[in-house]
Amino acid sequence: GTTSLVKVADAGPGSAFGELALLHGYPRSTTAVAAEDSEVWCLDREVFRNIIVRSNDKRFKELVKFLSTIEIFSELTITEITRLAELMQEQSFEADDAIIEQGDQDSRMYIVRDGETVACVKKGKGEGDETEVKRYRNGECFGETALLTGEPRKASVYATKPTKCMSISDAAFTSAVGPLSEVLSRNHDKHPKYHKAIEQSRKMRG
């Protein structure tokens, strides 16, 4: 059958639309139709990126350099790391803030940029029944398994002091450089701890 369109908004002189595609590269969620003869200026994603990059050039270069040191990204080219840097989000946390909650279903990975976090596993039903299993410091990543398996979080992660993390979603990561499982498979022997998760990811993606 014919798909009918439902009007959700008007855009007049000075209005902007379609900016989410510039920022994240997501598929269009709406259709824009000219209601009358119109003159529209457009900006493609590449030009937009170049403008933003130049305006934050020094900070951006520092981020690219930082990401280049992350072991899980060691198989990426500088071009791919640059694309990741464009989509990374910086998040700040205070001491004891929960960054990840055990049992949550989400798909973001995090990299400690400054500070420290601790992963804890809940053993019982009480609030105090948590056991520390690992600490993450500058340059270490956590939550990346969620990009491979899509399973609920197996541990909670808290900031132990004021901490800044870079994070990226599974969708954004895949749009930039492809699935994490394929990135790690470029040098399969170098990442033995991810072998099981990589195989699980391949089965999920078919």
Side-chain angles (χ1 to χ4, degrees), residues 55-73:
S55 66
N56 298 281
D57 193 46
K58 182 179 178 181
R59 189 178 180 193
F60 185 78
K61 285 181 178 178
E62 289 175 349
L63 176 57
V64 170
K65 184 177 179 180
F66 170 72
L67 295 178
S68 298
T69 68
I70 307 304
E71 182 183 357
I72 202 170
F73 299 153

Side-chain angles (χ1 to χ4, degrees), residues 21-25 43-55 82-83 86-87 175-176:
L22 293 178
L23 295 171
H24 305 296
L43 183 67
D44 69 32
R45 192 177 184 208
E46 194 63 34
V47 173
F48 178 78
R49 281 178 169 178
N50 289 338
I51 292 171
I52 297 299
V53 167
R54 282 198 298 269
S55 66
T82 299
R83 289 204 296 265
E86 291 167 350
L87 299 175
S175 72

Side-chain angles (χ1 to χ4, degrees), residues 163-191:
T163 297
K164 287 184 179 180
C165 292
M166 306 305 300
S167 74
I168 189 168
S169 69
D170 181 31
F173 189 99
T174 301
S175 72
V177 297
L180 178 59
S181 59
E182 298 305 317
V183 171
L184 294 174
S185 294
R186 294 180 191 179
N187 192 340
H188 194 261
D189 294 338
K190 190 175 179 179
H191 307 286

Side-chain angles (χ1 to χ4, degrees), residues 29 45 54 77 112 126 129 144 150 154 164 178 190:
S29 58
R45 192 177 184 208
R54 282 198 298 269
T77 66
V112 181
D129 297 331
E144 71 278 13
K154 295 182 179 179
K164 287 184 179 180
K190 190 175 179 179

